[in-house]
Amino acid sequence: MPCWASEWYPGPSPQFRAGRVIGHNDLTSKGVHEDDLDLARRCREGDSTAFEAVYRAHSGRLFGLVSRMLASAPEAEDVLQDVFINAHRKMGSYRGESSLGTWLYRLAVNHCLDHLRSRAARMARSTESLDVEDAVEPAASEPRVPTAVSRIDLERAITQLPEGCRLAFVLHDVEGLDHKEVAAALGITEGTSKSQVHKARMRLRVLLDPEAASRKRPFHLVKTS
Amino acid sequence: MTCHDCLERIDELDEGRLSPDEATAVRQHLDICPACRAQAADITRIRAAARGLGAIDPPARVWAHVALAVGADAPSGRAGNSGLDWRHWIAAAASVALVVSSLGWVGAKLIPAPAESGTARVAASEEFQMAEAAYQSAIESLEPIAADADAPVLAEPALVAVHASLDALDQTIGEARQRLTQAPDDQMTQDLLLSALESKIALLQDTVDLLDQSGATGVNQ
């Protein structure tokens, strides 16, 4: 299977890049986000406190998004930096048609996808197929996922998902986008989005199963009597 | 409805995308099929946990780099600030916070290690406990100095960075210790805990050094 970037994942649709998918209906009653427009204007005029306020307000959510999409903390830092540096340069193009948060969010998703494509091209990951087989595990008559899933376990499990289903899962289940929005962001069909999210959940079901984990535990972690 | 039909619709049921009739049919199957019921429960748990993941504060050095790149000046904080360059300080101090943001990635790729003998495991465990105790001792000696020193000399971004980093490190340390109570030999969690403790020491030491430079602590005067 060739690299996923060119096969499975063509990239965001023009509508998504233009901002007509996510946040298309979050206008204020006045039709524009006046406060955000004012903040953007101050940023353009070189008010560093305004730009820092933008960073403080949105960097946490964006870093969560970028980190999970890329599954790499160092790369996520680089991309987050690029997002904000690029946002500063592009602040003149912000028209207030969506909130500044939505505008930045879109920018971040696009940066991630561009980064993933260049990463795939760099590494020519022919070994990492997006066409993930569903986890083959025996049917269980009891739930396998603990009632309270630890944040650490879930974050770690997400990094172990193949990229295709990880992206769909992060955007749908973590970020709350609907399948139409996920499809537009990733340049896939809604059906593919549903299928990838399902595959991700089935993988996570295995990854979060304590019994399955103990079966696959590296031997240096296995207790001996 | 067969299990196959049901499993195809479980996601849609959980996401509320089924018509009332379809939802009823799936629920009726779930009532009589433990395997499908288990899968449905797992999907619900995964979705609930995923929704709760939330934001991750980036290391403060990210802002330092962004600020430098866009030519932003230090925000108008307290005048003077003892001539301290807050951006430089943030970049240095926050470098230790990587361990927090790396939490989800630590050990993501488990590489099987060579089998250890029982003696080697005991030795490794004792080594870990000694290291943890030493780190904890260092932290206990630094914390009062950092806490006693009222820090009016630090610019607002530095204070925010310190508190955010310490909070995040404390959370990591707490979670790692909690996990070790359940799996004391989990090498990955041991490494994570030691990294977090090291990071906290470095951050406290940086804070103390900075306060010392400004004469706020009275240390080394």
Side-chain angles (χ1 to χ4, degrees), chain A residues 145 156 201 205 219 224, chain B residues 11 15 42 45 113 121 188:
Chain A
V145 176
R156 183 182 295 169
R201 290 172 180 167
R205 197 177 178 222
F219 16 88
T224 55
Chain B
D11 285 342
E15 294 171 16
D42 283 344
R45 290 173 186 181
R121 263 192 303 279
M188 207 162 47

Side-chain angles (χ1 to χ4, degrees), chain B residues 89-125:
Chain B
W89 183 85
I90 283 180
S95 64
V96 301
L98 179 62
V99 65
V100 175
S101 60
S102 300
L103 190 61
W105 292 272
V106 171
K109 309 286 182 190
L110 287 176
I111 300 169
E116 292 175 318
S117 68
T119 310
R121 263 192 303 279
V122 171
S125 175

Side-chain angles (χ1 to χ4, degrees), chain A residues 33 36-37 39-40 54 58 91 94 98-105:
Chain A
H33 292 261
D36 284 347
L37 266 180
L39 206 51
V54 171
H58 302 291
M91 207 58 95
Y94 175 68
S98 59
S99 71
L100 201 48
T102 299
W103 184 75
L104 287 166
Y105 188 90

Side-chain angles (χ1 to χ4, degrees), chain B residues 198-221:
Chain B
E198 280 176 10
S199 299
K200 186 170 180 180
I201 291 170
L203 186 54
L204 288 169
Q205 186 63 59
D206 281 344
T207 307
V208 170
D209 288 348
L210 186 63
L211 297 173
D212 183 37
Q213 286 171 30
S214 66
T217 63
V219 176
N220 297 332
Q221 286 183 4

Side-chain angles (χ1 to χ4, degrees), chain A residues 194, chain B residues 1 5-27 30:
Chain A
K194 289 174 188 172
Chain B
M1 175 174 281
D5 295 334
C6 178
L7 293 178
E8 281 194 334
R9 289 171 174 77
I10 282 180
D11 285 342
E12 294 172 284
L13 176 72
D14 199 62
E15 294 171 16
R17 290 190 278 118
L18 290 181
S19 69
D21 286 348
E22 288 173 320
T24 301
V26 173
R27 287 199 182 94
L30 292 178

Side-chain angles (χ1 to χ4, degrees), chain B residues 78-194:
Chain B
R78 297 171 186 81
N81 286 334
S82 302
L84 299 172
D85 182 344
W86 64 272
R87 275 179 293 178
H88 172 78
W89 183 85
I90 283 180
S95 64
V96 301
L98 179 62
V99 65
V100 175
S101 60
S102 300
L103 190 61
W105 292 272
V106 171
K109 309 286 182 190
L110 287 176
I111 300 169
E116 292 175 318
S117 68
T119 310
R121 263 192 303 279
V122 171
S125 175
E126 286 177 356
E127 208 169 282
F128 163 73
Q129 287 169 7
M130 286 171 61
E132 186 190 3
Y135 285 153
Q136 189 58 43
S137 170
I139 286 171
E140 285 167 7
S141 66
L142 285 168
E143 267 181 336
I145 304 172
D148 285 350
D150 188 11
V153 293
L154 292 184
E156 187 68 23
L159 277 176
V160 171
V162 169
H163 289 302
S165 297
L166 284 175
D167 287 349
L169 284 168
D170 284 340
Q171 186 182 344
T172 304
I173 290 166
E175 286 184 18
R177 283 187 169 142
Q178 174 67 28
R179 288 167 67 85
L180 284 173
T181 60
Q182 297 158 359
D185 296 329
D186 187 325
Q187 192 174 331
M188 207 162 47
T189 310
Q190 289 179 354
D191 291 345
L192 176 63
L193 175 58
L194 293 183

